[in-house]
Amino acid sequence: MKATVRLNTVQGVNLTPQLLQSIRLLQLTAPQLEQELRQTLERNPLLEHDEAAEDAESAADADAATIEAAAWDELPEPSFLSGGGSIGDDDATLRIADPASSDPRVRLLQQLALHWDAPGLELASWWLDHCDDHGYLEQPLAELLALGAQAFPQRIDDLALVRQRLLHGEWPGMAATDAGECLRAQLAAQPDSAARALAARILAQHLELLAAHDDAALASALAAEPEQVRAAVALILTLRPHPAEAPAQIEDTHVVPDVVAWHAGGSWRVALNRHTTPRVRIAPHCERALASNGSDHAVLRGLLDEARWLVRGLAMRSDTLLRTAQVLVERQRGFLERGDEAIVPLTLREVAEAIGMHESTVSRIVSGKYIQTPRGTLELKRLFAVRLEGAEIGGAAVRAMVKRLIDAEPVAAPLADDVIAGLLARQGVRIARRTVAKYRDQLSIGPARSRQRVAHAIAC
């Protein structure tokens, strides 16, 4: 057997740490990038916010606000904007709901004010002032009753009664002395059952065994079956450990656009949203100090290199995002001006060729990014469209055409899929009947016979 040496040449890309970081920055969304920069600023002392750039942007915002304020003077009176019909000085801002207080005691008092009288609210407020944020009494009950007797000498009996009303009221367990009393109050509000009766015995006599999760010992102490004990324990586990209710959390579904596009002077303009564009720089005094110290401070020099890579990566991200958005707006200006039917076929490869980058780079930069337009805030991916085979139009435009024809069809004679295909053919769009059916399904629109039945039912 003869050994041979063969030389092959292979072309590839060496993914350096700098390149990997740049690629990762491209695909980060605005919230992810903000978190990334916050962590990096805490870790790397050589980086700082670019306050000069932020001040310039603030000045630009002030100029824009002045223009908007001048334009506001030309608008109708606020009564017209709020729908009209009201007489007198009606400030629309007064009708904006205040956010829920973070203090549970304030929220509970607001609820009690709907059906409690003033004397009861006064005593309830006193009890709640002596509760912690979880709803438990901050001092022993005997001490608080003594203090209450001094504050309300003529209403000692009412004071104890109000605490019981709080304990078994809107938030069961409020103003409880300990966790056991809190859980017992919540349990009393549950429907009557064998499991509730057994759970009450556990809370009253065997809290230690419950905390130890010793179901066998509980069954022996209560002379009950293990299944009954498990059911009672399961009921206890559904109770809240603290009586104070947390405020309802409203999910933030707002989308902050990364790019803004607007029409002015007969052309479309594109700019990065300054509120989502990070502004960081290398601290000048740190860079000068390291430059004058020769080869010392190897750790700091590593941090300096990291800072330089980050600043360059952010600049590359902003430049790539802006150039990509400019191409998308330029190619889809018909869609922005006239709507879905004017959207043209556009692929990642076409945009990549226009900006001189690889299509994988375009895919990363448009992922999770949004653009604000006069037609609404859209995901950048929304401006891409797949070309129909053998046609110069995209599927999104055809789907919009199908919707327009169905919306305008006679109520008594809905259009069948083959009729819609024929009407589109007259407009130069030749697609099969099954393609019409596919787009109709995507629009959640039923076939002609079901639409006819619905129209007949409405007429009857």
Side-chain angles (χ1 to χ4, degrees):
M1 183 175 181
K2 183 179 180 181
T4 59
V5 178
R6 183 176 301 173
L7 181 63
N8 290 329
T9 302
V10 179
Q11 185 177 5
V13 178
N14 183 20
L15 296 179
T16 63
Q18 300 94 314
L19 181 58
L20 287 173
Q21 184 187 45
S22 299
I23 291 174
R24 192 169 62 85
L25 290 175
L26 285 175
Q27 58 195 14
L28 292 179
T29 63
Q32 292 171 342
L33 182 60
E34 181 182 1
Q35 182 179 3
E36 174 85 7
L37 288 180
R38 188 185 303 113
Q39 295 174 351
T40 305
L41 287 169
E42 293 175 355
R43 185 180 68 251
N44 193 332
L46 303 185
L47 280 172
E48 65 179 12
H49 285 290
D50 193 349
E51 297 180 357
E54 292 178 352
D55 291 341
E57 291 173 355
S58 299
D61 288 340
D63 294 339
T66 303
I67 296 173
E68 291 177 1
W72 176 260
D73 294 336
E74 302 175 3
L75 294 177
E77 293 297 325
S79 59
F80 290 95
L81 299 176
S82 60
S86 59
I87 301 176
D89 296 333
D90 182 17
D91 187 357
T93 60
L94 297 178
R95 298 193 296 271
I96 300 176
D98 292 331
S101 172
S102 60
D103 190 335
R105 293 157 294 196
V106 174
R107 298 199 308 274
L108 179 55
L109 277 177
Q110 290 173 347
Q111 294 183 22
L112 297 180
L114 298 176
H115 49 83
W116 280 40
D117 57 16
L121 280 176
E122 184 182 13
L123 296 179
S125 177
W126 186 88
W127 278 114
L128 294 177
D129 285 342
H130 291 84
C131 291
D132 59 21
D133 291 338
H134 297 301
Y136 292 112
L137 295 178
E138 294 179 320
Q139 298 172 248
L141 180 58
E143 294 181 9
L144 290 176
L145 287 174
L147 291 175
Q150 298 175 9
F152 305 98
Q154 306 299 326
R155 306 173 61 188
I156 300 176
D157 294 338
D158 293 341
L159 196 66
L161 179 61
V162 166
R163 191 185 85 88
Q164 289 298 318
R165 291 181 65 186
L166 289 173
L167 191 64
H168 299 280
E170 280 75 4
W171 295 2
M174 199 68 186
T177 57
D178 53 29
E181 188 178 31
C182 171
L183 294 176
R184 288 193 294 273
Q186 293 182 50
L187 190 63
Q190 298 290 326
D192 191 13
S193 65
R196 192 190 80 167
L198 193 60
R201 292 176 58 193
I202 294 174
L203 293 177
Q205 305 169 11
H206 304 290
L207 273 178
E208 297 80 4
L209 295 178
L210 176 66
H213 305 284
D214 195 343
D215 291 352
L218 279 173
S220 176
L222 296 169
E225 296 295 330
E227 293 79 7
Q228 296 174 325
V229 171
R230 282 193 289 269
V233 171
L235 179 59
I236 293 173
L237 293 177
T238 63
L239 307 177
R240 296 194 309 272
H242 307 299
E245 292 185 355
Q249 297 294 327
I250 301 176
E251 182 181 359
D252 186 7
T253 57
H254 294 85
V255 173
V256 179
D258 302 87
V259 188
V260 179
W262 70 99
H263 191 267
S267 62
W268 282 91
R269 303 181 184 181
V270 181
L272 295 178
N273 184 356
R274 61 175 61 94
H275 299 294
T276 59
T277 304
R279 297 292 185 182
V280 296
R281 67 176 183 179
I282 302 172
H285 61 282
C286 294
E287 193 169 13
R288 287 194 299 268
L290 286 174
S292 62
N293 283 337
S295 59
D296 296 336
H297 307 293
V299 175
L300 291 178
R301 291 198 170 278
L303 292 175
L304 178 61
D305 290 339
E306 179 189 4
R308 286 172 175 169
W309 297 339
L310 179 64
V311 172
R312 291 170 186 168
L314 291 175
M316 173 185 163
R317 179 185 186 274
S318 298
D319 178 69
T320 306
L321 179 58
L322 181 59
R323 290 198 291 148
T324 301
Q326 287 173 335
V327 173
L328 290 173
V329 169
E330 179 183 346
R331 299 288 179 90
Q332 299 295 3
R333 61 180 303 165
F335 160 72
L336 296 174
E337 294 171 0
R338 301 190 298 276
D340 287 337
E341 292 190 26
I343 193 167
V344 299
L346 187 62
T347 63
L348 290 172
R349 177 175 295 180
E350 291 172 339
V351 175
E353 291 174 353
I355 66 174
M357 291 189 172
H358 195 272
E359 57 187 285
S360 63
T361 302
V362 177
S363 176
R364 290 188 178 96
I365 199 61
V366 301
S367 179
K369 313 300 190 305
Y370 290 83
I371 181 170
Q372 178 181 311
T373 72
R375 194 164 289 277
T377 299
L378 313 169
E379 193 172 6
L380 284 176
K381 289 182 178 180
R382 175 76 171 78
L383 299 179
F384 291 90
V386 179
R387 186 187 309 273
L388 287 179
E389 185 176 357
E392 294 299 323
I393 192 171
V398 176
R399 184 168 58 247
M401 293 178 181
V402 170
K403 186 178 187 304
R404 173 174 55 81
L405 290 174
I406 293 178
D407 289 343
E409 68 186 3
V411 176
L415 301 177
D417 293 343
D418 53 353
V419 175
I420 295 175
L423 293 174
L424 291 175
R426 294 180 185 178
Q427 302 178 30
V429 180
R430 301 188 179 277
I431 58 174
R433 180 197 60 79
R434 63 179 178 274
T435 306
V436 174
K438 180 185 71 174
Y439 290 141
R440 180 174 47 73
D441 290 340
Q442 292 177 359
L443 294 167
S444 300
I445 299 175
R449 59 181 179 274
S450 66
R451 301 201 300 275
Q452 188 172 21
R453 286 196 298 268
V454 170
H456 179 71
I458 294 175
C460 292

